[in-house]
Amino acid sequence: MKFIKKLHVKNFKKFADETFEFNEDINILVGDNECGKSSILEAIELCLNVSHRGRPISPEVMAELFNSDCVENYLKGDKSQISLPELLIEAYLDGDPELKGTNNSKKQDTQGISLRMLFNSELSPYYELFIASSEILTVPFELYKIEWMSFAWKQLVQQAKPLGCLFVDPTRLHPTLGRSRYINAIINASVDKNARPTLNLNYRQLKMQFNEKADVKEINTKLNERRELTTKDLKIVADITPSGSWDSNLALTVDDIAFSQIGKGEQNQIQIKVAIQNKAKETDIVMLEEPENHLSHINLIQLVSYIEQKNAGKQIFLTTHSSYVLNKLSINKLCLLAREYVKLKDIDANTVKTLKRLPGYDTLRMILAQKVILVEGPSDELVLKKIYHGLKGRLPEEDGIDIIVVRGIGFKVYLDIAKALEHPVRVVKDNDGNYQKNIIDWRDEDYKDCDFIECFSPKDDAQHSLEPALVAANSKTVTALDKLAKVMLSAQTYDKEYAACTDFAAKRTFMNGWYDNPKKKVDSAIRIFDTSETISYPKYLMRAISFDM
Amino acid sequence: MTCKLLLASAGAGKTERIAKEALKRAVSGYRVLLLTYTINNQLELVRHICRLNKVQPHNVSVKGWFSFLLEDMVRPYQRCIVPERISGIILNSKNPHLCTSRNGKRFNISGCAEKICGKCNPLHYVTKEDNRAHTYYLAKLAANIHAQTGGKPARRLAEIYDAVFIDEMQDLVGWDFAVIRAIVDTGICDLDCVGDFRQAVYETSETAKKPQTSTEKLTEFRDMGFEIDNLSISWRCIQSICDLADRLHAKDGLYEPTRSNVTSVPLEYADHHGVFAVHASHIEDYIKAYNPMILRWDRRTQKQLCEGRTAYNFGESKGMSFERVLIIPTDRHVRFLSGSTTAFDDVNTDDSRNKLYVGITRAWYSVAFRYEGGSVISVARIWNPGD
């Protein structure tokens, strides 16, 4: 099996000089918009196919591919021939010893392919004319050449690509084209090599049979009966000129409906499945761009399990914004593009398993958020939001602070991921009546040296969860407590049961005892969130939501 | 791994044998590399494979010796000696660093020494203008890269191929043997060398690097641990032609007598088969009567006779065969043919002797020698018009 171990790119799109390491089976590329996920797929396509999203590389295409900083540096510089920028993509591979050699930028003795776009020094007379002319606004890519070689410094040719790579990009599907060239490319790549001539031969024979049909012959005879049109023999025949090969005349149908007429979601699924189940040996690498596009959740589930089962023997790269895709295909195949490139590997096997079984959790949200607070329940979320809004006049998400309710699977799964990625994360957690055991010891057990995981919880064991902490924060005076009670309790409860408490101590006891029922908790939190009254908040919450250090 | 050297006489069907052997291994999943010196022989190998198997299997590669050296033994690790990618090769017939001045003095072109100040000099191996490798030094470059990288090129080769066959091994010389030794040393893939020193007429380079002569080469093969085997049959030449050809190298004591496997001569050739001598004055009649292929030393030989007719130089004719052959012998050849046992003793190379061997063994049924004046060719029947 052939696969990419490592990709090194220089002056390509947003990457000035980066190296990405990959898994030999599945690679799930995630990252914020504009972080370069698709660029990585494009770089792979360029290096293995010498094409960019199916297009051959022209000077116009090159202009899109070069890193804008390197172009700018050139334009600001002395514009000497040696200052012309060069683009380099190197794929470090395994599975084909013929590609082995030390001719790569890292001078490693390894298999690989390199693609360079650089100035063609044979054209320096033209470059001389170019810089002598008027103002220079761009790099003269027209004077560039492409060098495509193995690490053994053997020139590679399109007809005998060392690795087959298929880029499934649903956005390239054009709704109005009956047979898009793109569909053809996929069919070409997935139908066995020998099937092509067979299809072509049969198609040609079919056209010849058409000419021999009795009905057709009769029509042709009538056409010539009176020789009114011409004195020569006129005939209606099927076109058997070479231009009419099968792939330009045959069309795909799904349940007898033309491919272009079926829904986009279905089209998307079929393309991906065709690409993956591809039995032809020629495809080693399949790249999928956001497979979740146009798919309902149920269809996505089907598609992902298809990918999971049928990918054997191929290396898969996919970009996604869906936690479901990530969790289901196994979170340890994650390749994160953030400030730097991180490949998730050392993650607890149980966490991987848990997420495969329960893929509905928003792991991706946590991974991508710069500032993230994990909380136990929706009441914590609401109160934190309220605090932030009170301070800033905006909700935390507007400032890129993401509050995630961990729900059933608890903190562990999220924190294991954060730990493996060294991703900063804040945890707001109840002490459940024992701060030492449930906060200090709990944190030390699994996350002792993880400074990037911060815990927030009341130190007082009596404040075992959010509500007692709120009560404690508003117990300076009986007036303050009354105010809190009025906000948190329903009008009925406040008027009857709370009012029935005679003194300060009884009121506190009532408030602390009221919240054994989780339903009541959420109702109160919603009331706090909606109120225009000013109440006091526990210190640990204030610290948890404050990011302006 | 095994290393075998097969000494096959002309017409023994060694190309066929290699093709069969290669296919046998290809079927069992081996990746096979077939190497040979001439383009003609590359085509011949492919033709034999396709005759047996219709197509050349994907796991059988056929390469010329220079492309092999360049693509597999040089380029992958060339940067330790030549930093810029070698763009191709330049065929040298003689040492490219030697120049002859107008007064006939030979001198070395400066800047082309192997080492300058103790460092490897790329210009010893490649051209200054376009970075092409001199074929004269290509094997030396390969051997030196192999040594400098601690054997990487051969190890890479062993990762790609399970078996390597070298056909026409007699054409390899000097530094080429360092490359063979490099492959042998990795000890990973099977290496089969096949050829016939008696047919050595090309040499890949003309360096003074040993081995040069057949005896030296054979010693070198033995030294590398090759098992040596003989294949002394001919599917081409009739026995009388084999016997004549065998006489050329009988003195060396290296070869078994060649046994002809041609059991019958087809009717249309039956009236005239064996070895003949044709006097210069009867040549035109002879050609008219039997239409033989004319074989000669070089283009300058008997220009008038060859004018307007197909004729091959001995060297060129290698790998070909013809029903009838007419040889225009050199003076040295005539001496040998007249019975002299010392005719080739005063030359350093085997060139002349080997060319005659190649010439004679091209023929299926008849070989005729042109002779002039009194020199009568002892082994041949004299042909007269009307015979």
Side-chain angles (χ1 to χ4, degrees):
Chain A
M1 187 188 141
K2 297 179 189 179
F3 65 91
I4 307 178
K5 291 193 292 189
K6 196 161 74 179
L7 190 74
H8 175 215
V9 294
K10 246 176 158 169
N11 289 338
F12 175 68
K13 293 220 160 166
K14 67 175 302 182
F15 307 118
D17 190 341
E18 296 277 349
T19 303
F20 308 100
E21 303 211 356
F22 298 122
N23 304 309
E24 65 178 277
D25 46 4
I26 300 185
N27 294 278
I28 306 165
L29 298 165
V30 306
D32 242 322
N33 293 329
E34 304 301 311
C35 70
K37 296 188 296 287
S38 301
S39 303
I40 291 184
L41 301 190
E42 288 171 3
I44 293 172
E45 188 200 2
L46 274 166
C47 194
L48 303 186
N49 279 359
V50 200
S51 65
H52 178 250
R53 293 193 180 267
R55 298 176 298 174
I57 301 165
S58 61
E60 292 75 21
V61 174
M62 273 194 215
E64 288 173 36
L65 302 181
F66 270 68
N67 176 273
S68 55
D69 289 342
C70 77
V71 171
E72 216 168 282
N73 284 340
Y74 162 75
L75 293 174
K76 278 193 294 202
D78 65 356
K79 302 196 181 62
S80 69
Q81 186 180 316
I82 47 160
S83 76
L84 281 159
E86 181 186 320
L87 187 150
L88 171 75
I89 304 174
E90 288 176 330
Y92 292 71
L93 304 164
D94 203 16
D96 190 350
E98 266 184 81
L99 305 173
K100 195 171 169 182
T102 46
N103 302 307
N104 53 69
S105 57
K106 299 187 200 286
K107 293 200 174 163
Q108 287 172 0
D109 180 15
T110 180
Q111 302 166 19
I113 297 176
S114 83
L115 178 86
R116 293 209 295 163
M117 298 183 197
L118 69 165
F119 177 65
N120 182 353
S121 52
E122 283 168 33
L123 299 177
S124 44
Y126 297 95
Y127 184 64
E128 206 177 345
L129 292 174
F130 174 76
I131 43 172
S133 68
S134 58
E135 210 186 343
I136 293 159
L137 301 169
T138 175
V139 177
F141 292 115
E142 287 73 8
L143 307 180
Y144 269 52
K145 63 175 175 185
I146 294 168
E147 271 185 11
W148 192 34
M149 284 186 215
S150 72
F151 288 174
W153 260 353
K154 187 185 163 87
Q155 217 134 25
L156 301 173
V157 289
Q158 284 277 5
Q159 290 76 10
K161 286 178 212 150
L163 267 82
C165 123
L166 191 58
F167 192 171
V168 184
D169 166 13
T171 56
R172 253 189 276 169
L173 249 194
H174 199 285
T176 57
L177 280 177
R179 299 163 283 102
S180 73
R181 272 174 54 203
Y182 173 60
I183 279 290
N184 272 329
I186 290 205
I187 298 297
N188 284 350
S190 44
V191 172
D192 197 273
K193 247 187 195 161
N194 304 330
R196 291 176 52 81
T198 312
L199 278 170
N200 199 14
L201 184 65
N202 277 303
Y203 181 63
R204 210 150 46 83
Q205 280 184 346
L206 193 72
K207 287 196 288 191
M208 285 157 80
Q209 278 167 17
F210 172 87
N211 300 341
E212 297 305 315
K213 289 256 181 208
D215 294 347
V216 178
K217 279 191 160 169
E218 199 187 316
I219 291 171
N220 279 328
T221 318
K222 278 190 185 152
L223 194 64
N224 288 302
E225 242 166 22
R226 268 173 267 153
R227 304 257 167 206
E228 279 171 342
L229 301 164
T230 165
T231 53
K232 297 200 172 106
D233 200 14
L234 199 64
K235 243 184 190 173
I236 295 168
V237 296
D239 182 10
I240 50 165
T241 51
S243 66
S245 70
W246 71 277
D247 53 353
S248 57
N249 282 297
L250 299 185
L252 269 182
T253 67
V254 180
D255 284 346
D256 293 332
I257 301 169
F259 188 81
S260 57
Q261 301 302 315
I262 63 172
K264 263 213 151 180
E266 185 78 21
Q267 285 186 15
N268 188 0
Q269 265 198 79
I270 289 177
Q271 285 178 72
I272 294 173
K273 286 185 181 172
V274 164
I276 299 224
Q277 65 103 49
N278 190 343
K279 294 276 192 316
K281 283 196 192 111
E282 290 90 55
T283 306
D284 304 289
I285 285 163
V286 177
M287 299 192 287
L288 308 169
E289 204 166 25
E290 296 176 11
E292 66 269 22
N293 278 355
H294 308 292
L295 290 182
S296 70
H297 191 66
I298 293 297
N299 280 333
L300 181 62
I301 290 171
Q302 287 175 351
L303 182 65
V304 168
S305 37
Y306 194 89
I307 296 174
E308 215 187 348
Q309 289 159 19
K310 302 273 180 154
N311 72 326
K314 297 197 191 342
Q315 191 181 24
I316 294 198
F317 292 85
L318 62 86
T319 66
T320 190
H321 287 293
S322 155
S323 293
Y324 181 86
V325 173
L326 175 64
N327 296 340
K328 183 78 187 159
L329 289 178
S330 173
I331 191 151
N332 60 347
K333 303 298 178 193
L334 173 88
C335 304
L336 174 66
L337 271 148
R339 267 158 304 178
E340 58 190 70
Y341 176 78
V342 198
K343 209 174 88 176
L344 192 62
K345 18 178 204 247
D346 304 320
I347 189 159
D348 188 52
N350 284 323
T351 304
V352 175
K353 227 196 267 171
T354 309
L355 283 170
K356 277 189 153 229
R357 291 194 187 124
L358 297 166
Y361 290 92
D362 244 335
T363 47
L364 204 49
R365 230 175 99 195
M366 182 195 71
I367 293 165
L368 295 182
Q370 291 302 315
K371 299 164 185 167
V372 51
I373 306 173
L374 300 178
V375 299
E376 264 174 285
S379 5
D380 305 280
E381 179 183 356
L382 286 163
V383 174
L384 281 171
K385 281 186 173 170
K386 179 69 178 177
I387 299 173
Y388 195 83
H389 194 265
L391 293 168
K392 306 269 181 173
R394 296 181 299 273
L395 286 170
E397 51 263 44
E398 293 175 68
D399 289 340
I401 301 167
D402 210 349
I403 301 170
I404 299 173
V405 180
V406 296
R407 292 182 291 154
I409 48 171
F411 291 106
K412 189 177 180 312
V413 166
Y414 287 96
L415 291 182
D416 279 348
I417 299 168
K419 183 179 169 183
L421 290 172
E422 299 192 10
H423 186 68
V425 69
R426 292 182 175 191
V427 176
V428 172
K429 190 175 180 295
D430 297 341
N431 68 31
D432 293 328
N434 190 341
Y435 182 77
Q436 182 63 37
K437 174 171 170 264
N438 295 324
I439 304 299
I440 304 288
D441 297 346
W442 172 80
R443 187 183 181 284
D444 281 353
E445 193 184 332
D446 286 326
Y447 315 106
K448 194 169 168 55
D449 297 316
C450 307
D451 298 338
F452 46 87
I453 298 177
E454 293 177 87
C455 275
F456 299 85
S457 184
K459 288 196 174 109
D460 179 1
D461 288 348
Q463 297 176 31
H464 55 85
S465 67
L466 173 66
E467 293 75 18
L470 277 167
V471 171
N474 291 279
S475 292
K476 283 210 181 78
T477 61
V478 72
T479 334
L481 187 63
D482 287 348
K483 194 167 155 194
L484 178 74
K486 185 140 197 180
V487 171
M488 284 179 77
L489 301 171
S490 69
Q492 206 185 2
T493 314
Y494 182 80
D495 289 342
K496 286 195 179 152
E497 289 162 77
Y498 182 78
C501 300
T502 48
D503 61 359
F504 195 18
K507 285 181 176 173
R508 283 186 65 171
T509 312
F510 173 81
M511 285 298 282
N512 284 333
W514 184 247
Y515 290 100
D516 295 336
N517 180 347
K519 170 80 173 70
K520 290 182 192 162
K521 291 182 179 218
V522 179
D523 289 343
S524 290
I526 291 172
R527 285 192 207 101
I528 292 174
F529 189 75
D530 289 338
T531 188
S532 49
E533 294 285 346
T534 313
I535 56 167
S536 298
Y537 296 100
K539 289 246 165 51
Y540 77 96
L541 290 180
M542 303 288 280
R543 281 188 291 116
I545 196 73
S546 153
F547 282 89
D548 345 284
M549 277 166 286
Chain B
M1 80 148 221
T2 53
C3 296
K4 283 188 196 149
L5 173 67
L6 182 67
L7 298 172
S9 54
K14 66 182 170 58
T15 310
E16 173 96 6
R17 210 177 134 119
I18 289 176
K20 267 190 188 155
E21 198 63 29
L23 283 170
K24 205 171 81 193
R25 310 225 185 160
V27 168
S28 51
Y30 276 44
R31 296 199 52 182
V32 182
L33 175 63
L34 305 182
L35 296 175
T36 185
Y37 188 62
T38 60
I39 293 176
N40 261 341
N41 202 47
Q42 284 175 51
L43 295 175
E44 198 57 34
L45 278 167
V46 173
R47 229 173 276 142
H48 271 92
I49 288 171
C50 295
R51 222 171 281 155
L52 295 164
N53 193 58
K54 297 259 193 296
V55 294
Q56 184 181 343
H58 68 95
N59 51 348
V60 175
S61 310
V62 179
K63 280 191 187 188
W65 183 248
F66 289 142
S67 337
F68 161 69
L69 289 179
L70 182 66
E71 289 172 9
D72 289 308
M73 303 307 281
V74 169
R75 270 189 190 143
Y77 302 101
Q78 67 161 84
R79 285 207 284 185
C80 64
I81 295 178
V82 186
E84 291 295 314
R85 180 178 185 266
I86 295 174
S87 59
I89 54 170
I90 177 163
L91 283 161
N92 323 112
S93 52
K94 53 186 191 340
N95 189 342
H97 303 330
L98 273 181
C99 199
T100 312
S101 68
R102 236 176 264 164
N103 56 22
K105 263 176 85 182
R106 306 232 295 175
F107 61 91
N108 277 307
I109 298 167
S110 68
C112 297
E114 183 180 349
K115 290 199 173 173
I116 292 179
C117 302
K119 281 173 112 181
C120 289
N121 175 23
L123 292 182
H124 184 60
Y125 304 104
V126 296
T127 58
K128 201 171 182 176
E129 317 73 53
D130 53 4
N131 217 45
R132 277 191 293 162
H134 296 292
T135 53
Y136 191 86
Y137 287 113
L138 193 56
K140 183 179 180 182
L141 176 59
N144 284 343
I145 289 171
H146 183 82
Q148 288 225 356
T149 56
K152 279 180 179 165
R155 255 179 278 137
R156 173 182 176 276
L157 194 73
E159 278 182 56
I160 306 174
Y161 301 106
D162 307 298
V164 178
F165 290 83
I166 304 177
D167 193 8
E168 308 287 8
M169 61 77 198
Q170 71 275 3
D171 296 331
L172 308 176
V173 65
W175 283 102
D176 295 328
F177 278 79
V179 175
I180 293 178
R181 194 178 273 276
I183 302 172
V184 172
D185 284 349
T186 57
I188 307 172
C189 53
D190 284 353
L191 182 59
D192 279 40
C193 293
V194 183
D196 183 2
F197 291 122
R198 293 169 290 191
Q199 294 186 64
V201 293
Y202 293 98
E203 281 169 352
T204 58
S205 72
E206 286 186 351
T207 54
K209 173 87 176 166
K210 294 213 166 183
Q212 291 283 324
T213 65
S214 305
T215 328
E216 285 166 359
K217 289 177 187 175
L218 205 60
T219 313
E220 188 76 15
F221 274 117
R222 281 211 182 94
D223 193 45
M224 288 190 277
F226 275 79
E227 271 173 46
I228 299 170
D229 219 347
N230 268 285
L231 187 63
S232 302
I233 50 166
S234 178
W235 295 95
R236 183 194 299 151
C237 316
I238 56 172
Q239 192 63 52
S240 56
I241 297 177
C242 291
D243 293 343
L244 173 63
D246 279 352
R247 274 178 49 190
L248 276 160
H249 296 82
K251 266 173 74 179
D252 299 2
L254 290 171
Y255 310 97
E256 297 169 5
T258 309
R259 186 168 45 82
S260 172
N261 270 7
V262 183
T263 48
S264 64
V265 179
L267 217 55
E268 50 181 314
Y269 301 103
D271 63 323
H272 180 78
H273 65 267
V275 182
F276 299 88
V278 182
H279 193 268
S281 57
H282 302 319
I283 283 287
E284 291 291 341
D285 294 323
Y286 185 79
I287 293 174
K288 207 180 273 170
Y290 298 111
N291 192 26
M293 178 54 67
I294 303 170
L295 301 180
R296 61 186 177 192
W297 182 261
D298 64 19
R299 230 162 272 279
R300 292 164 300 187
T301 318
Q302 286 291 314
K303 268 194 171 168
Q304 268 178 320
L305 178 67
C306 300
E307 189 73 42
R309 295 194 169 100
T310 318
Y312 288 105
N313 301 344
F314 293 125
E316 276 181 303
S317 73
K318 226 171 97 175
M320 303 182 190
S321 65
F322 312 99
E323 286 85 358
R324 300 193 185 291
V325 163
L326 170 63
I327 289 175
I328 304 167
T330 64
D331 291 347
R332 197 181 296 283
H333 294 163
V334 171
R335 257 181 287 161
F336 166 78
L337 293 165
S338 312
S340 161
T341 51
T342 55
F344 299 106
D345 286 3
D346 57 336
V347 277
N348 294 330
T349 71
D350 287 331
D351 200 39
S352 174
R353 180 160 69 143
N354 291 353
K355 278 182 175 166
L356 183 59
Y357 178 82
V358 169
I360 293 170
T361 53
R362 293 315 91 195
W364 293 68
Y365 308 118
S366 72
V367 182
F369 297 96
R370 178 185 182 276
Y371 76 98
E372 278 171 42
S375 60
V376 173
I377 292 171
S378 60
V379 295
R381 271 183 284 156
I382 300 204
W383 182 83
N384 287 304
D387 274 11

